[in-house]
Amino acid sequence: MENRQNYLTDGVSNGVHVSGVPLTTEVTNQAVPGLLTNAIDKAVVKIRPMATPIDQISRMGHVRSVDSMDVDYYSVDTRVDSDSVISAEISAESDGEENPLYVLTVAHPSRFEPTETFGYGADGVDSVGYVVEKNADGTLLCASVKGDLSELASGGKIIRMGRAATQLDVQSPQFSALPVKNTNYCQIFKMQIEQSVVMKLSHKEIGWDFTDQQEAAIYDMRMGMEKQFLFGKKAKVYDPRKQETVTFTGGIWDQAGKEIDVTLDGFDSKALVDMLRQAFTDNSGSRRKVLIAGSELIAALNRIEHTHVITARDQVTAWGIDFSELQSKFGRLYVVFSDIFDVMGMAGNGIIVDPEYIQKHVFIPFNAERLDLRGSGQRNTEAMVLTEASCLTLRYPEAHARVIGS
């Protein structure tokens, strides 16, 4: 470009004049920077990805109001179905070879009661036994329904089956189930939006008002809650400045009862089937679960060529969230990517949750309260505080699993 002195000259008192060259945008920007403005898109692009799936699912699922910041909840599991055999030998009470009785010593005799049957075998259930009596020393006096119980080797597994009564039986050994007590703390989540009255009245280049500030604040607040609901640690800490105790809620990552290890490098359809098998079996709740995962685990899933055993659907909408769906013989797995796993340094990990067994406890429902800071003489501003005190619990821990990618 030519030197400024060749075509730009000053006016008598003000202004800039152009001489000897056409007036172009380049010349104008050099002569009077800022005279030409950029086109402004008046609409603010609000980035709202599906970044808080746990918070979203919990709000649209099982919500329970509580009257204390400390939440006690109970969960009950199913009875263990199997046990290992320590020894098996013929009983002295045997009535000949036709009706032999056996004494079984098992690792956990409390899992069995008289009249219960059990199966055993190297490949499935080849033989069946019947518990006649539980001895005072904890051993089981058993009869063989089919097979030779003395062949049970040490370390063999027997699987509890149904009860069998005689024609004259009117009672059976009692059975009761008691839930296990757990505790979590509600955490008080707060977010304050404030702007001066002068700021409110000032003309703005784009339409950005107090309502937009509220929306951005709610999004940021839910992002923080999502991280806390996932990875928070249950604790109470004394704040010496405020002279109050602060409660922190425990996340569901530590509450999940299962842990599934996967190898991301070379993750194939066989590994996916194994992961689904662990997620859906062993008395593990419903047949519809959600996988919330980081980018590395999602990438490993996307590299898999789906077969007739596992089919994929592009999009399924549930709880207001768009999921990808994996359909298998074990159940349906809804998959969604979460930025939070990447942010937390866990891009290769994920968590499989059963929405039917997520419970949200709310001490203070989500609310927005306007503060009168002008009336109180503090500041010439309009202000609003968003508040919620809540926590999440997993009512059936074994229905949920941590997925650890390596």
Side-chain angles (χ1 to χ4, degrees), residues 13-231:
S13 61
N14 210 340
V16 179
H17 297 260
V18 179
S19 177
V21 296
L23 183 62
T24 63
T25 56
E26 289 82 1
V27 172
T28 303
N29 284 329
Q30 184 178 6
V32 188
L35 179 63
L36 300 179
T37 62
N38 297 328
I40 298 173
D41 187 349
K42 300 296 184 182
V44 179
V45 178
K46 299 172 183 177
I47 302 174
R48 296 292 182 267
M50 299 175 297
T52 57
I54 288 294
D55 183 54
Q56 181 73 10
I57 292 171
S58 66
R59 290 182 188 279
M60 301 184 68
H62 304 282
V63 179
R64 177 174 175 263
S65 297
V66 295
D67 56 6
S68 172
M69 290 287 286
D70 295 5
V71 175
D72 293 336
Y73 64 100
Y74 292 83
S75 60
V76 63
D77 207 343
T78 56
R79 196 169 159 194
V80 178
D81 284 329
S82 62
D83 201 5
S84 58
V85 176
I86 297 175
S87 65
E89 52 190 36
I90 294 287
S91 170
E93 300 182 40
S94 292
D95 183 17
E97 295 183 358
E98 294 185 0
N99 297 295
L101 294 176
Y102 304 84
V103 176
L104 263 63
T105 304
V106 295
H108 304 90
S110 61
R111 297 177 182 175
F112 297 89
E113 293 294 339
T115 74
E116 286 186 329
T117 60
F118 58 87
Y120 61 95
D123 299 311
V125 177
D126 298 326
S127 304
V128 177
Y130 169 75
V131 181
V132 175
E133 185 181 16
K134 183 184 287 188
N135 299 319
D137 59 359
T139 58
L140 307 177
L141 182 66
C142 303
S144 175
V145 178
K146 180 183 178 182
D148 186 354
L149 294 184
S150 62
E151 295 178 355
L152 279 170
S154 177
K157 185 172 73 171
I158 57 176
I159 302 168
R160 184 170 55 83
M161 298 171 65
R163 295 190 178 191
T166 65
Q167 295 183 30
L168 299 180
D169 283 339
V170 294
Q171 299 186 53
S172 75
Q174 298 86 352
F175 172 78
S176 299
L178 295 175
V180 177
K181 181 179 179 179
N182 296 283
T183 303
N184 202 357
Y185 302 143
C186 287
Q187 181 170 324
I188 302 175
F189 301 95
K190 279 187 177 290
M191 179 70 71
Q192 182 166 332
I193 315 108
E194 186 174 347
Q195 71 176 1
S196 71
V197 174
V198 174
M199 173 64 181
K200 177 183 178 180
L201 299 175
S202 298
H203 175 72
K204 303 171 185 66
E205 194 171 53
I206 57 174
W208 186 256
D209 56 19
F210 196 64
T211 303
D212 297 300
Q213 297 280 10
Q214 295 174 42
E215 185 177 344
I218 291 173
Y219 174 73
D220 187 71
M221 180 178 177
R222 290 188 66 184
M223 284 289 288
M225 295 172 70
E226 181 84 357
K227 296 170 188 173
Q228 199 72 29
F229 287 152
L230 275 169
F231 303 111

